[in-house]
Amino acid sequence: MTAGYYKLMMAATLTLATSSQGLLTTASKSNGEYRYNFATVPFLAEVLKLVVSSLLLHRQFLIDPKGTHITRDWKSALLYPIPSIIYLIHNNVQFLTLQYVDPSTYQILGNLKIVTTGLLFRIILKRHLNRLQWIALALLMIGATISQISCDKGTTLAAPLMGYVLGIISACLSALAGVYTEKLMKMNNDNLYWQNIQLYGFGVIFNGLRLFFDDVNVGYSNGISLWPRVVTRGYNIITWFVVFNLAFTGLLVSWIMKYADTIVKVYSTSMAMLVTMLFSIILFDISPNLQLLLGILTSSISLRLYYFDTAELHPDITNKNSKLRDRI
């Protein structure tokens, strides 16, 4: 199996895992409502990712102790809480954005992260994107936006200036978190599972602190969330699938950041949104609309353009250059 095929398979798996997250979350309702604390889901997912990564690192170390590279440097370790801090700020900005814009506008503004990711990909990681790839990213943003536009709501995109400013900041923070994580994962040849342990270790701490402060704000009226029985209160079997799926998705993302790049993640998550809509049509007997079909078509064209071999545009010139090199 070639490396390219393996990356494609992992990206497709990430798309399916991401698309199923929303469906599982909806299915986790009990009698039409959520009986559990949403904040406990990412906390348990971080714990699960930490445990799985620790077990895999132990297994890898037993198989190849000399080849399992681990950097034990506190200066390096201090870089790993930064993604969690960025996501924490991003989540707060998202909350503020929703105070100024309606959910439809918020979803559409969220698609700006596709272009901002490309910009930071170029600026921070110094990766060159050709004109065709920039056009592809713009088409992906357009395709995702088309599928989300509701023609029967006249208020869509009607928001104060502050709403747009916060939407742009949110898109930049989302892109920064992804690009920084890729830079972090590729800054050395450390074992992936060791890097995951550092990432998810801080993730557990930050999510645990969030639960703690939530308890403080309500005066511990619901008990202390860090107690196992309280943290899983209201859980059913599908809720646990939500946790497992979120953990699995996180592990896939870290693999892609290590061995592929942020753009692959952007395409996987953007296509996942369209796949989720298709699943919703099939499972909930919703009639497909023109916007969804156009969104899928535009996004598919975008995917083809981004990974298009520019040599195919001028095959005659490429063949002549090849023959010239052979003569030399």
Side-chain angles (χ1 to χ4, degrees):
M1 183 181 296
T2 62
Y5 181 81
Y6 196 67
K7 290 179 183 178
L8 178 62
M9 185 179 69
M10 296 295 281
T13 305
L14 177 60
T15 299
L16 293 175
T18 304
S19 62
S20 62
Q21 187 66 25
L23 299 174
L24 286 171
T25 303
T26 302
S28 66
K29 291 182 178 180
S30 298
N31 297 323
E33 62 180 14
Y34 298 105
R35 300 291 183 86
Y36 58 92
N37 182 359
F38 281 109
T40 62
V41 173
F43 172 72
L44 291 175
E46 291 295 312
V47 171
L48 183 57
K49 288 186 288 186
L50 180 61
V51 171
V52 171
S53 298
S54 299
L55 293 174
L56 290 174
L57 178 63
H58 178 69
R59 177 177 175 271
Q60 184 67 34
F61 192 77
L62 292 177
I63 295 173
D64 185 14
K66 293 184 179 180
T68 306
H69 192 271
I70 295 175
T71 299
R72 295 182 177 87
D73 180 12
W74 66 270
K75 292 182 180 179
S76 175
L78 288 178
L79 299 175
Y80 284 86
I82 295 177
S84 296
I85 295 172
I86 296 174
Y87 279 121
L88 179 64
I89 299 172
H90 175 247
N91 291 337
N92 283 279
V93 171
Q94 283 182 312
F95 178 76
L96 289 174
T97 305
L98 285 170
Q99 294 183 1
Y100 290 92
V101 304
D102 58 85
S104 298
T105 304
Y106 171 77
Q107 281 189 316
I108 293 171
L109 288 174
N111 294 321
L112 289 172
K113 68 178 179 290
I114 296 171
V115 173
T116 54
T117 297
L119 290 172
L120 294 182
F121 191 73
R122 177 71 182 88
I123 296 170
I124 297 177
L125 298 179
K126 310 298 182 184
R127 304 283 182 82
H128 173 72
L129 296 177
N130 58 46
R131 292 181 181 178
L132 202 58
Q133 289 176 320
W134 280 115
I135 293 173
L137 290 178
L139 280 176
L140 179 63
M141 183 181 67
I142 293 170
T145 303
I146 289 174
S147 64
Q148 295 170 341
I149 291 177
S150 179
C151 295
D152 59 346
K153 293 184 179 180
T155 57
T156 299
L157 293 181
L161 178 62
M162 181 57 69
Y164 293 113
V165 172
L166 289 172
I168 294 172
I169 293 174
S170 177
C172 291
L173 287 171
S174 177
L176 178 62
V179 171
Y180 177 83
T181 302
E182 180 183 346
K183 185 178 181 65
L184 187 64
M185 300 295 280
K186 292 178 177 176
M187 70 177 183
N188 54 38
N189 63 339
D190 272 3
N191 182 273
L192 171 63
Y193 307 132
W194 169 242
Q195 292 179 313
N196 282 347
I197 288 173
Q198 296 174 88
L199 274 176
Y200 304 142
F202 286 109
V204 169
I205 293 172
F206 280 101
N207 281 278
L209 287 174
R210 178 191 172 183
L211 290 177
F212 174 75
F213 286 115
D214 285 347
D215 289 335
V216 172
N217 290 333
V218 298
Y220 300 102
S221 60
N222 297 319
I224 299 177
S225 290
L226 295 182
W227 292 358
R229 288 185 180 180
V230 178
V231 94
T232 58
R233 179 181 294 165
Y235 273 46
N236 55 33
I237 185 63
I238 300 179
T239 311
W240 282 110
F241 276 116
V242 174
V243 174
F244 294 147
N245 187 74
L246 185 60
F248 179 65
T249 301
L251 291 170
L252 280 175
V253 169
S254 68
W255 188 95
I256 286 175
M257 292 298 191
K258 180 76 170 179
Y259 300 110
D261 57 53
T262 314
I263 302 298
V264 173
K265 174 181 173 288
V266 166
Y267 268 101
S268 296
T269 53
S270 297
M271 298 301 287
M273 177 186 62
L274 301 174
V275 173
T276 301
M277 294 180 182
L278 286 176
F279 281 157
S280 299
I281 290 172
I282 296 171
L283 296 175
F284 305 116
D285 196 25
I286 301 174
S287 300
N289 54 50
L290 180 61
Q291 293 99 309
L292 176 60
L293 297 177
L294 288 175
I296 293 173
L297 179 62
T298 306
S299 299
S300 300
I301 293 173
S302 165
L303 181 62
R304 179 67 182 95
L305 284 178
Y306 188 86
Y307 292 101
F308 188 78
D309 185 0
T310 54
E312 296 180 27
L313 294 173
H314 304 286
D316 294 335
I317 296 177
T318 304
N319 291 334
K320 288 179 181 179
N321 290 337
S322 178
K323 290 179 180 179
L324 181 62
R325 284 195 300 268
D326 291 340
R327 289 176 183 176
I328 294 175

